[in-house]
Structures are given as structure tokens and as C-alpha cells.
């Protein structure tokens, strides 16, 4: 699993940083998502964050490395 983020789509709601803080943070300047870890150990929190993201800015590539 590999995560990618689209900062142009992000509206800064902060759900991802709340639900999966090991993988996501918010930029302190513009509030948009910052990717901390593209390959986090726990995928369940990341999937929750993806489901909760209102802008579709988060993506998971399941195809492996
Ligand atoms: S949940 Fe989505 S819209 Fe909200 S900060 Fe994260 S990537 Fe941006």
C-alpha cells in the first residue's frame, strides 16, 4: 500500500490528520494536508481517513511497491 495526496484538491478539513496522525498532518501555513508517511504500518486508520476526506484528495495505491 502506498498513499498519495493531492494538495490542490485538499480543502483543509483536517479529518485525515485527526484519524491517521501517523500518516497525515496539516500544513501550518495553508491548512492543507501534508503526507508524513506514504507507507504507514497501520492501514485501517488510513482507510478511515480516506473515507472521511470530503474532497477526494487522498489516494491509496494497492498495487504494491
Ligand atoms: S481530510 Fe481531505 S480535505 Fe481534509 S485535510 Fe485531509 S486531505 Fe485535506
Amino acid at each position: 500500500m502506498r498513499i498519495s495526496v493531492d494538495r490542490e484538491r485538499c480543502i483543509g478539513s483536517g479529518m485525515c490528520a485527526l484519524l491517521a496522525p501517523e500518516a497525515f498532518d496539516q500544513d501550518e501555513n495553508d491548512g492543507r494536508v501534508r503526507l508524513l508517511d506514504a507507507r504507514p504500518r497501520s492501514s485501517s486508520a488510513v482507510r478511515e481517513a480516506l473515507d472521511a476526506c470530503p474532497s477526494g484528495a487522498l489516494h491509496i495505491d494497492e498495487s504494491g511497491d
Side-chain angles (χ1 to χ4, degrees), residues 2-48:
R2 182 181 175 85
I3 306 168
S4 61
V5 301
D6 182 347
R7 282 179 45 83
E8 296 302 313
R9 289 187 71 112
C10 175
I11 59 171
S13 73
M15 293 305 293
C16 55
L18 190 71
L19 292 168
E22 74 282 0
F24 306 109
D25 195 3
Q26 282 181 276
D27 189 291
E28 60 188 32
N29 293 313
D30 63 13
R32 293 185 187 187
V33 63
R34 283 202 308 130
L35 182 60
L36 300 178
D37 185 356
R39 300 175 192 274
R41 271 181 294 163
S42 167
S43 63
S44 59
V46 170
R47 289 179 206 284
E48 271 188 63

